[in-house]
Amino acid sequence: MVKTKKDLPETKMDKATQVYLKMKLQDGIKRKDIIAAFISTCGLTPAGASTYYQKIKKKQAHRNY
């Protein structure tokens, strides 16, 4: 049986992407606020949260073109 994306457990990147997209819709949210949410909700370290922020931001920028 071939596993699909729905069969796999949710990754930290999936969770962080959801948090990023949700928070970006709000006014007045800064980078530090999103990183703090990554740390508290996704279980990332401060360095990992910063890396995830940059990766997600870059991926979303490419999707907007």
Side-chain angles (χ1 to χ4, degrees), residues 30-44:
K30 297 183 179 182
R31 180 181 184 272
K32 67 179 182 176
D33 301 324
I34 296 173
I35 289 175
F38 286 174
I39 293 168
S40 65
T41 60
C42 304
L44 297 171

Side-chain angles (χ1 to χ4, degrees), residues 3-54:
K3 289 187 176 186
T4 63
K5 179 104 171 133
K6 291 181 181 179
D7 296 333
L8 299 174
E10 188 174 45
T11 64
K12 289 181 182 180
M13 182 60 84
D14 294 336
K15 291 178 189 176
T17 301
Q18 291 173 4
V19 169
Y20 178 88
L21 294 174
K22 181 179 174 185
M23 292 185 77
K24 270 302 195 183
L25 296 176
Q26 300 172 12
D27 290 332
I29 298 296
K30 297 183 179 182
R31 180 181 184 272
K32 67 179 182 176
D33 301 324
I34 296 173
I35 289 175
F38 286 174
I39 293 168
S40 65
T41 60
C42 304
L44 297 171
T45 64
S50 180
T51 301
Y52 273 46
Y53 178 87
Q54 291 302 326

